[in-house]
Amino acid sequence: MAFQPSLQEIQNFKGKYPKQLWSLFFSEMWERFCFYGMRGMLTYFMVTQLLMSDVDANLQYGATQAFVYAFTFIGGLFADKILGFRKSLFWGGILMIIGSSILAFDPHQFFFLGISFTIIGTGFFKPNISTMVGKLYKADDPRRDAGFSVFYAGINIGALLGGYACIAIGKEYSWHLAFGLAAIVMTISLITFVFTQKSLGPIGLPPSGEEEMNDIVVAGIEDKVQTEPVTVKVKANNKKWYDYAVYAGSLAVIPVIMIMVAKTQYTDWFMYIIGPATLVYIIYEMSKYGWAERKKLIAALIFILFSIIFWGIYEQSGGSLALFAARNLDSQLLGSITLDPNGVNNSANSLFVIIFAFLFSIIWIGLAKKKIEPNTVIKFGLGFIFLAGAFFIFYSTRFFSNGAGIASLDVFIIAYLVMTFGELCLSPIGLSIMTKLSPVKLQGVMMGMWFLASAYGQYVAGILGAGMAQAGEHDTPLQKLMSYTEGYKQLAIYSLIAGVILIAISPVVKKLMQEVK
């Protein structure tokens, strides 16, 4: 029987990194290869292979991503309370493999069936492997940040490779092969986890006891940037039939997801109901607390509102920018290197995160030592300013185009560099600030609100992309260049306004936050 270390033995590791980190690193790297490879193919495949209009493809991309992010929170809850992280991760991986295999078999006929499996699978897989990384460390271990930095490097390597490889293979060779590659790498991810999980000891096992309280470390939803982990307490239930109920329920909901993604008006209804209902519930809960707690919750809601705007603009990457890259970009980098424009669109951000994330952390540390580090609200505002700069550069590609409407790949990549700077300012705050601003009993609810806000951001991204596509469905590439870049200019203006407003109201929000930094 294989030796299983205790939690204390794992957390008392020698050196900089626990050995278990590396198996989780590779499992996550290959899973993110699958996820970002699939994500990067969606809009392009829907337009070129399923012959959808740009409008419908953008709306369905937004709906798909919205449900991915919504189910990430739901999958995390089921793992916390019933399955445990290991079972949840394994079940999610199996569903993702099935979904990718269905798409590899016949992506045209079974597109929405395959996508629905991957939506549910990602919801079970994604939040729980990050949680297990957090469990490798004691709460006060100063080596935690270094470990998460390595883990997020794995995420970005997977996103970089998958984002480029899958779309390039699909366009140049075979869509069956492209989706099949996603299934293969997901299988590698799952095999890696299965054969190394013994070394995790008790980490990730199902919760025991009817009312046992468990500390849940959550790393954050925007998974390509190192986020500050947070801890939330939840009540656990561990009855065997609960496991089977979760498995059966997740399979039973797949036809519902198929309908809601394929018919985006159903997604509209869902989003119209769930957001306002959640807000009403939060307001009701706020009434139970004193003014000091209410002010912090108001500050949290401000962050949530602006995060929806940010992700709605940022996530054009998988929607309108994917179509723009396919139709309006040349394939020459620096005039000599031939690259697939869609591959660049899918992977440039990951490459820049790998290069610059560490530099940004050094900058913040240096500013903090000099006591001039911007506060959380200012960082949010700077994120929007950089985002505005990126979309102004996307707009400026029209000035670097030829008469046929084909623009410069070099300028396009510069825009992604600036966009990454914006992400690095805003994204690491995430769930951590939600729990810091929330009373203990509301931390789980506010964590859910942050995940829901990310889902709304994806949903808004689809609507914005569809709006830009409505101008001329059958336009020439030159006309599409003009209409899309005009849309990017509008998004740049919206982002700039949001950033200026955030910076302007930062003193007010800082007062609402009180002692929270």
Side-chain angles (χ1 to χ4, degrees):
M1 186 174 178
F3 169 72
Q4 293 196 47
S6 67
L7 182 61
Q8 185 176 11
E9 288 173 325
I10 293 172
Q11 293 180 341
N12 289 333
F13 63 91
K14 304 296 182 182
K16 196 170 184 180
Y17 306 108
K19 65 179 183 180
Q20 294 84 357
L21 177 65
W22 302 107
S23 59
L24 296 176
F25 171 98
F26 284 108
S27 290
E28 178 72 341
M29 184 184 78
W30 290 120
E31 185 274 337
R32 290 291 89 181
F33 184 112
C34 173
F35 176 81
Y36 281 98
M38 294 278 286
R39 172 183 178 269
M41 292 189 282
L42 287 181
T43 306
Y44 183 87
F45 182 85
M46 285 188 283
V47 169
T48 62
Q49 300 298 307
L50 302 183
L51 304 181
M52 293 184 188
S53 67
D54 289 10
V55 173
D56 289 341
N58 274 285
L59 289 174
Q60 286 176 330
Y61 170 80
T64 299
Q65 291 297 104
F67 281 115
V68 164
Y69 279 75
F71 273 93
T72 299
F73 174 64
I74 295 170
L77 285 181
F78 280 130
D80 294 343
K81 296 189 175 185
I82 300 174
L83 295 179
F85 307 127
R86 293 196 205 175
K87 286 183 181 178
S88 181
L89 184 150
F90 184 80
W91 178 239
I94 291 293
L95 293 177
M96 291 180 73
I97 292 168
I98 292 172
S100 300
S101 299
I102 289 170
L103 290 168
F105 176 71
D106 192 338
H108 298 83
Q109 185 174 352
F110 299 118
F111 180 76
F112 289 111
L113 177 61
I115 289 299
S116 298
F117 269 95
T118 60
I119 287 173
I120 305 297
T122 302
F124 278 99
F125 190 104
K126 170 59 197 136
N128 300 309
I129 194 165
S130 299
T131 305
M132 285 190 282
V133 172
K135 290 286 189 179
L136 298 176
Y137 298 86
K138 294 179 180 177
D140 58 351
D141 193 328
R143 297 171 293 183
R144 176 192 292 269
D145 285 350
F148 268 96
S149 294
V150 169
F151 182 68
Y152 282 99
I155 287 173
N156 282 283
I157 293 170
L160 173 66
L161 298 175
Y164 192 92
C166 289
I167 187 71
I169 290 171
K171 289 171 68 175
E172 298 297 327
Y173 298 101
S174 164
W175 290 106
H176 298 278
L177 180 59
F179 287 113
L181 178 61
I184 291 169
V185 296
M186 191 62 233
T187 303
I188 295 172
S189 170
L190 207 56
I191 290 173
T192 300
F193 179 76
V194 167
F195 280 96
T196 59
Q197 63 176 324
K198 291 287 186 183
S199 67
L200 292 171
I203 294 174
L205 294 176
S208 59
E210 287 292 323
E211 296 292 329
E212 181 182 344
M213 299 297 288
N214 292 288
D215 288 339
I216 307 304
V217 182
V218 183
I221 189 162
E222 175 44 51
D223 55 18
K224 291 196 293 177
V225 181
Q226 181 186 349
T227 54
E228 184 179 346
V230 296
T231 301
V232 181
K233 289 183 179 293
V234 298
K235 292 182 179 180
N237 294 287
N238 187 29
K239 295 181 179 179
K240 199 68 178 177
W241 70 268
Y242 284 2
D243 291 7
Y244 298 128
V246 171
Y247 299 146
S250 54
L251 291 175
V253 81
I254 285 174
V256 179
I257 298 300
M258 279 183 63
I259 294 171
M260 296 186 77
V261 173
K263 303 290 185 183
T264 53
Q265 63 266 37
Y266 296 142
T267 306
D268 295 341
W269 298 344
F270 176 80
M271 302 304 278
Y272 294 158
I273 293 170
I274 192 68
T278 306
L279 185 60
V280 169
Y281 176 73
I282 291 295
I283 293 171
Y284 166 72
E285 289 289 346
M286 287 171 65
S287 68
K288 300 178 182 179
Y289 293 91
W291 181 232
E293 288 83 3
R294 290 182 195 174
K295 287 193 290 186
K296 291 180 183 178
L297 288 168
I298 291 170
L301 291 175
I302 291 172
F303 283 117
I304 286 171
L305 173 63
F306 278 91
S307 74
I308 294 173
I309 299 171
F310 183 89
W311 296 119
I313 297 173
Y314 175 95
E315 282 296 333
Q316 295 305 307
S317 300
S320 68
L321 283 169
L323 299 178
F324 181 79
R327 295 165 176 158
N328 296 109
L329 290 182
D330 64 31
S331 58
Q332 295 300 307
L333 175 64
L334 302 175
S336 58
I337 304 172
T338 300
L339 295 173
D340 181 90
N342 281 102
V344 171
N345 177 64
N346 295 340
S347 58
N349 171 242
S350 298
L351 176 62
F352 290 137
V353 167
I354 293 171
I355 295 172
F356 290 101
F358 180 72
L359 177 61
F360 264 69
S361 67
I362 295 296
I363 291 173
W364 297 137
I365 292 170
L367 292 176
K369 287 181 178 178
K370 295 181 179 180
K371 297 183 178 181
I372 55 173
E373 181 185 12
N375 62 47
T376 298
V377 193
I378 297 293
K379 286 181 180 179
F380 248 65
L382 289 174
F384 275 98
I385 300 299
F386 279 118
L387 187 66
F391 275 87
F392 273 121
I393 297 172
F394 283 132
Y395 163 71
S396 74
T397 56
R398 62 162 59 188
F399 304 118
F400 297 88
S401 63
N402 58 28
I406 305 302
S408 168
L409 182 64
D410 297 335
V411 177
F412 187 81
I413 290 176
I414 292 171
Y416 261 108
L417 172 63
V418 178
M419 184 189 288
T420 302
F421 291 165
E423 180 184 0
L424 291 172
C425 286
L426 182 142
S427 187
I429 299 166
L431 289 173
S432 179
I433 198 66
M434 290 298 102
T435 54
K436 289 178 182 178
L437 291 170
S438 307
V440 172
K441 290 184 179 180
L442 275 184
Q443 286 185 345
V445 174
M446 295 308 293
M447 182 173 70
M449 281 287 286
W450 184 260
F451 277 86
L452 187 60
S454 298
Y456 267 91
Q458 304 291 330
Y459 173 70
V460 169
I463 294 174
L464 292 174
M468 284 185 280
Q470 284 179 336
E473 189 65 43
H474 303 292
D475 286 350
T476 65
L478 180 59
Q479 291 170 319
K480 286 185 179 293
L481 173 72
M482 293 301 158
S483 61
Y484 269 101
T485 54
E486 185 63 29
Y488 297 146
K489 183 176 76 172
Q490 295 300 315
L491 294 183
I493 293 171
Y494 298 153
S495 184
L496 181 61
I497 292 172
V500 170
I501 290 174
L502 262 175
I503 293 172
I505 67 173
S506 62
V508 176
V509 179
K510 192 175 179 182
K511 286 183 179 179
L512 291 172
M513 295 171 67
Q514 297 163 75
E515 79 282 0
V516 176
K517 302 298 182 183

